[in-house]
Coordinates of all heavy atoms in Angstrom, one line a residue:
H947 N 13.3 4.7 3.1 CA 12.4 5.3 2.2 C 13.1 5.7 0.9 O 12.6 5.5 -0.2 CB 11.7 6.5 2.8 CG 10.6 6.2 3.6 ND1 9.4 5.9 3.2 CD2 10.6 6.2 5.0 CE1 8.6 5.5 4.2 NE2 9.2 5.8 5.3
I948 N 14.4 6.1 1.0 CA 15.2 6.5 -0.2 C 15.4 5.2 -1.0 O 15.2 5.2 -2.3 CB 16.4 7.2 0.3 CG1 16.1 8.6 0.6 CG2 17.4 7.2 -1.0 CD1 17.3 9.3 1.3
S949 N 15.8 4.1 -0.3 CA 16.2 2.8 -1.1 C 14.9 2.1 -1.6 O 15.1 1.4 -2.6 CB 16.9 1.9 -0.1 OG 16.2 1.4 0.9
S950 N 13.8 2.3 -1.0 CA 12.6 1.6 -1.3 C 11.9 2.2 -2.7 O 11.2 1.7 -3.3 CB 11.5 1.4 -0.3 OG 11.0 2.7 0.0
G951 N 12.2 3.5 -2.8 CA 11.7 4.2 -4.0 C 10.1 4.3 -4.0 O 9.5 3.9 -3.0
P952 N 9.6 4.9 -5.0 CA 8.2 5.3 -4.9 C 7.4 3.9 -5.1 O 7.5 3.3 -6.1 CB 8.0 6.2 -6.1 CG 9.1 5.9 -7.0 CD 10.3 5.4 -6.2
S953 N 6.6 3.5 -4.1 CA 6.0 2.3 -4.3 C 4.4 2.4 -4.1 O 3.7 1.4 -4.0 CB 6.4 1.3 -3.2 OG 6.2 1.8 -1.9
T954 N 4.0 3.6 -4.0 CA 2.5 3.8 -3.9 C 1.9 4.0 -5.3 O 2.6 4.6 -6.2 CB 2.2 5.0 -3.1 OG1 2.9 6.2 -3.6 CG2 2.7 4.7 -1.6
Q955 N 0.7 3.6 -5.4 CA -0.1 3.8 -6.7 C -0.9 5.1 -6.5 O -1.4 5.2 -5.4 CB -0.9 2.6 -6.9 CG 0.0 1.3 -7.2 CD 0.6 1.4 -8.4 OE1 0.1 1.9 -9.5 NE2 1.7 0.7 -8.6
P956 N -1.2 5.9 -7.4 CA -2.1 6.9 -7.4 C -3.6 6.4 -7.2 O -3.9 5.3 -7.6 CB -2.0 7.6 -8.7 CG -1.4 6.6 -9.7 CD -0.7 5.7 -8.9
I957 N -4.3 7.2 -6.5 CA -5.7 6.7 -6.2 C -6.5 6.7 -7.5 O -6.4 7.8 -8.3 CB -6.4 7.7 -5.2 CG1 -5.6 7.6 -3.9 CG2 -7.8 7.4 -5.0 CD1 -6.1 8.6 -2.9
P958 N -7.2 5.7 -7.8 CA -7.9 5.6 -9.1 C -9.1 6.5 -9.1 O -9.7 6.8 -8.1 CB -8.4 4.1 -9.3 CG -8.4 3.6 -7.8 CD -7.4 4.4 -7.1
R959 N -9.5 7.1 -10.2 CA -10.6 7.8 -10.3 C -12.0 7.0 -10.2 O -11.9 5.8 -10.9 CB -10.6 8.6 -11.7 CG -11.9 9.3 -12.0 CD -11.7 10.3 -13.1 NE -11.3 11.5 -12.4 CZ -10.7 12.5 -12.9 NH1 -10.5 12.5 -14.2 NH2 -10.3 13.6 -12.3
I960 N -13.0 7.4 -9.5 CA -14.1 6.6 -9.5 C -15.0 6.9 -10.6 O -15.3 7.9 -10.8 CB -14.9 6.9 -8.0 CG1 -13.9 6.6 -6.9 CG2 -16.2 6.2 -7.9 CD1 -14.4 7.0 -5.6
V961 N -15.4 5.7 -11.3 CA -16.3 5.9 -12.4 C -17.4 4.9 -12.2 O -17.3 3.9 -11.6 CB -15.5 5.6 -13.7 CG1 -14.4 6.6 -13.9 CG2 -14.8 4.3 -13.7
P962 N -18.5 5.1 -13.0 CA -19.6 4.2 -12.9 C -19.2 2.8 -13.5 O -18.4 2.8 -14.4 CB -20.7 4.8 -14.0 CG -20.3 6.3 -14.0 CD -18.8 6.3 -13.8
G963 N -19.7 1.7 -12.9 CA -19.5 0.4 -13.4 C -18.0 -0.1 -12.9 O -17.6 -1.2 -13.3
M964 N -17.5 0.7 -11.9 CA -16.2 0.2 -11.5 C -16.3 -1.1 -10.6 O -17.3 -1.2 -9.8 CB -15.5 1.4 -10.6 CG -14.2 1.2 -10.2 SD -13.7 2.8 -9.4 CE -12.0 2.7 -9.5
S965 N -15.3 -1.9 -10.7 CA -15.4 -3.2 -10.0 C -15.0 -3.0 -8.5 O -14.2 -2.0 -8.3 CB -14.7 -4.3 -10.6 OG -13.2 -4.0 -10.7
A966 N -15.4 -3.8 -7.7 CA -14.9 -3.8 -6.2 C -13.4 -4.0 -6.1 O -12.9 -4.7 -6.9 CB -15.7 -4.8 -5.4
P967 N -12.8 -3.4 -5.1 CA -11.3 -3.7 -5.0 C -11.1 -5.0 -4.6 O -12.0 -5.8 -4.0 CB -10.9 -2.7 -3.8 CG -12.2 -2.3 -3.1 CD -13.3 -2.5 -4.1
P968 N -9.9 -5.6 -4.8 CA -9.6 -7.0 -4.3 C -9.6 -7.2 -2.8 O -9.4 -6.2 -2.1 CB -8.1 -7.2 -4.9 CG -7.6 -5.9 -5.0 CD -8.7 -5.0 -5.3
E969 N -9.8 -8.4 -2.4 CA -9.9 -8.7 -1.0 C -8.6 -8.5 -0.3 O -7.5 -8.5 -1.1 CB -10.2 -10.2 -0.8 CG -11.7 -10.6 -1.2 CD -12.7 -9.8 -0.4 OE1 -12.5 -9.8 0.9 OE2 -13.7 -9.3 -0.9
Y970 N -8.6 -8.2 1.0 CA -7.4 -7.9 1.8 C -6.5 -9.1 1.7 O -7.1 -10.2 2.0 CB -7.8 -7.5 3.1 CG -6.6 -7.2 4.0 CD1 -5.7 -6.2 3.9 CD2 -6.3 -8.2 5.0 CE1 -4.6 -6.0 4.6 CE2 -5.2 -8.1 5.9 CZ -4.4 -7.0 5.7 OH -3.3 -6.9 6.4
S971 N -5.3 -8.9 1.5 CA -4.3 -10.1 1.5 C -3.7 -10.2 2.9 O -3.4 -9.3 3.6 CB -3.2 -9.8 0.5 OG -2.2 -10.8 0.7
A972 N -3.6 -11.5 3.3 CA -3.0 -11.7 4.6 C -1.5 -11.3 4.6 O -0.9 -11.0 5.8 CB -3.1 -13.2 5.0
T973 N -0.8 -11.2 3.6 CA 0.6 -10.9 3.5 C 0.6 -9.3 3.5 O 0.0 -8.7 2.8 CB 1.3 -11.4 2.4 OG1 0.7 -11.0 1.1 CG2 1.4 -12.9 2.3
R974 N 1.2 -8.8 4.5 CA 1.2 -7.3 4.7 C 2.6 -6.8 4.3 O 3.6 -7.2 4.7 CB 0.9 -7.1 6.1 CG 0.8 -5.6 6.6 CD 0.3 -5.7 8.0 NE 0.7 -4.9 9.1 CZ 1.9 -4.2 9.2 NH1 2.8 -4.3 8.5 NH2 2.1 -3.4 10.2
Q975 N 2.5 -5.7 3.5 CA 3.7 -5.1 3.1 C 4.1 -3.9 4.1 O 3.3 -3.2 4.5 CB 3.6 -4.4 1.6 CG 4.9 -3.8 1.2 CD 4.7 -3.2 -0.2 OE1 3.7 -3.1 -0.7 NE2 5.7 -2.5 -0.8
A976 N 5.4 -3.9 4.6 CA 5.9 -2.9 5.5 C 5.7 -1.4 4.9 O 6.0 -1.3 3.7 CB 7.3 -3.2 5.8
R977 N 5.1 -0.6 5.6 CA 5.0 0.8 5.1 C 6.1 1.7 5.5 O 6.4 2.7 5.0 CB 3.7 1.4 5.8 CG 2.5 0.7 5.3 CD 1.3 1.2 6.1 NE 1.5 1.0 7.4 CZ 0.7 1.3 8.5 NH1 -0.3 1.9 8.2 NH2 1.0 0.9 9.8
S978 N 7.0 1.2 6.4 CA 8.3 2.0 6.8 C 9.2 1.0 7.4 O 9.0 -0.1 7.8 CB 7.8 3.0 7.8 OG 7.4 2.5 9.0
Y979 N 10.4 1.6 7.6 CA 11.6 0.9 8.2 C 11.0 0.5 9.8 O 11.2 -0.7 10.2 CB 12.7 1.7 8.3 CG 13.9 0.9 9.1 CD1 14.6 -0.1 8.5 CD2 14.3 1.5 10.3 CE1 15.6 -0.7 9.2 CE2 15.4 0.9 11.0 CZ 15.9 -0.2 10.5 OH 17.0 -0.8 11.1
L980 N 10.4 1.4 10.5 CA 10.0 1.1 11.8 C 8.9 0.1 11.9 O 8.8 -0.7 12.7 CB 9.5 2.4 12.5 CG 10.7 3.4 12.7 CD1 10.1 4.7 13.4 CD2 11.7 2.9 13.6
D981 N 8.0 0.0 10.8 CA 7.0 -0.9 10.7 C 7.7 -2.3 10.6 O 7.2 -3.2 11.1 CB 6.2 -0.6 9.5 CG 4.8 -1.4 9.5 OD1 4.4 -1.8 10.5 OD2 4.3 -1.5 8.4
E982 N 8.7 -2.4 9.8 CA 9.5 -3.7 9.7 C 10.0 -4.1 11.1 O 10.1 -5.3 11.4 CB 10.6 -3.6 8.7 CG 10.2 -3.6 7.2 CD 11.3 -3.6 6.3 OE1 12.5 -3.4 6.7 OE2 11.1 -3.6 5.1
L983 N 10.6 -3.1 11.8 CA 11.3 -3.4 13.1 C 10.2 -3.8 14.2 O 10.4 -4.8 15.0 CB 12.0 -2.3 13.6 CG 13.4 -1.9 13.0 CD1 14.0 -0.6 13.6 CD2 14.3 -3.0 13.1
F984 N 9.1 -3.1 14.2 CA 8.2 -3.3 15.3 C 6.9 -3.9 15.0 O 6.0 -4.2 15.8 CB 7.9 -1.9 16.1 CG 9.2 -1.4 16.6 CD1 9.8 -0.3 16.1 CD2 9.7 -1.9 17.9 CE1 10.9 0.3 16.6 CE2 10.8 -1.4 18.4 CZ 11.5 -0.3 17.9

């Protein structure tokens, strides 16, 4: 976690006319070291 640095984005404010989020990508980013291992 120390070496990966801050990689999260703040949650966007919901406003009228907001577009839908992008489709889920098949490539999954590890959320933690243990996630990478297991």
Side-chain angles (χ1 to χ4, degrees):
H947 281 283
I948 289 169
S949 68
S950 67
S953 61
T954 58
Q955 298 288 328
I957 297 174
R959 173 165 272 165
I960 298 173
V961 295
M964 191 173 200
S965 62
E969 291 294 320
Y970 174 74
S971 173
T973 58
R974 181 172 142 332
Q975 181 182 2
R977 296 172 297 179
S978 68
Y979 176 73
L980 295 177
D981 196 23
E982 285 182 355
L983 285 179
F984 297 104

